Amino acid sequence: MSTNLEVIHIRIIKIEDKLYPANLRSIKNPPKQLYAEGNFDLLNQNGIAVVGSRKCSDYGEKTAKKFARELTQIGINVISGMAIGIDEITHSETIRNNGKTIAVLPSGLENVYPPENRILYNKILENGGLVLSEYAPKEEATSKNFLNRNRIVSGLGLCLIIIEAKYRSGTSVTARLAKEQGKKVFCVPSNLDSKYGIGTNQMIKDGAVLLTGIGDIIESYPDIKFNVIMQEHICKTKGVKKEYMDVYKYVQNRSTDIEYIYNNTNVSIGDINFKLTMLELEGFIEKLPGGFYRRI
């Protein structure tokens, strides 16, 4: 496909339309309408926003690729802003792993910003992704538009993952917006001597969730039906036997009762009790007063 391709399949989605994403409708000051091109089905599927510095370290690039790949493996769409750096790395790695990604622009869809990412724009569409903007097709990017774009990126996602952020970066603004929207903010920790991680380390100190692996995401959202194969792989690396996986994955870090596990599995009460006992004996969970359990 030519990199000079004109956008010809733009759809205007108004806030009162059924197609308008529910996650976005619930934020403060949601866009009254969206201009969209691509796979509209993604608008109301589970997605997680991933953002970071425009100038990133090798560690940041490697980490962005890791989480884009693993989010794809657990069946989650990846949302970002198509900026240079972490954003474009995240979109590209999602596509490379046959995942679906949503890009939110600070400009109109016929005036792609940054212009050098027009090729990426086309690849997103060619691979079943979606590109969004709240701006008319020919509108140019402005500093105000970037801030407005960031609230959409965080608003669309189930949560926000920050890979790298310098001191007082635009990424920290996205983190603030996510918190205001009631979203969890996960930050990847950085070396103390890395200028690219000063912002993320500070956010962790200020209450963001320290992110060390995709398992942290899965454990934070027990009600989300993630791809089971990836869940089994993650728990297997922790030493949990595969035959106990169907029960273990529903034991949370806080008190969990047998009824909750039973309602989310096809396992009988007798088998649940047996597997809970084995998991307790093997040191993966502990029994609490009142017949509750939690992970260790």
Side-chain angles (χ1 to χ4, degrees), residues 74-87:
I74 63 172
I76 293 294
N77 300 325
V78 178
I79 304 160
S80 199
M82 215 177 82
I84 300 297
I86 294 296
D87 288 17

Side-chain angles (χ1 to χ4, degrees), residues 223-278:
D223 296 329
I224 300 295
K225 301 295 183 181
F226 295 105
N227 183 296
V228 175
I229 294 174
M230 188 60 184
Q231 287 192 56
E232 291 184 358
H233 167 73
I234 290 166
C235 291
K236 188 185 296 182
T237 63
K238 297 179 178 179
V240 176
K241 293 179 180 178
K242 186 175 181 179
E243 56 264 36
Y244 306 147
M245 185 66 57
D246 49 1
V247 169
Y248 176 75
K249 67 185 180 183
Y250 288 108
V251 180
Q252 303 173 60
N253 292 325
R254 57 184 184 275
S255 297
T256 310
D257 62 11
I258 292 178
E259 183 179 359
Y260 174 82
I261 299 171
Y262 178 75
N263 289 335
N264 283 280
T265 67
N266 294 318
V267 184
S268 68
I269 292 292
D271 283 344
I272 289 173
N273 279 316
F274 169 75
K275 292 178 180 182
L276 287 173
T277 299
M278 295 306 297

Side-chain angles (χ1 to χ4, degrees), residues 25-42:
R25 186 181 282 116
S26 64
I27 70 170
K28 180 181 179 181
N29 189 27
K32 295 180 179 179
Q33 62 185 23
L34 295 168
Y35 296 85
E37 184 178 19
N39 183 359
F40 306 121
D41 291 339
L42 304 186

Side-chain angles (χ1 to χ4, degrees), residues 110-145:
E110 290 183 8
N111 194 7
V112 175
Y113 187 90
E116 56 265 44
N117 274 349
R118 165 56 86 173
I119 293 175
L120 175 58
Y121 181 112
N122 292 336
K123 285 182 178 179
I124 290 171
L125 298 182
E126 289 168 1
N127 289 274
L130 179 72
V131 185
L132 295 176
S133 175
E134 67 177 313
Y135 301 109
K138 295 186 182 298
E139 186 161 341
E140 295 183 356
T142 66
S143 56
K144 180 181 178 181
N145 290 4

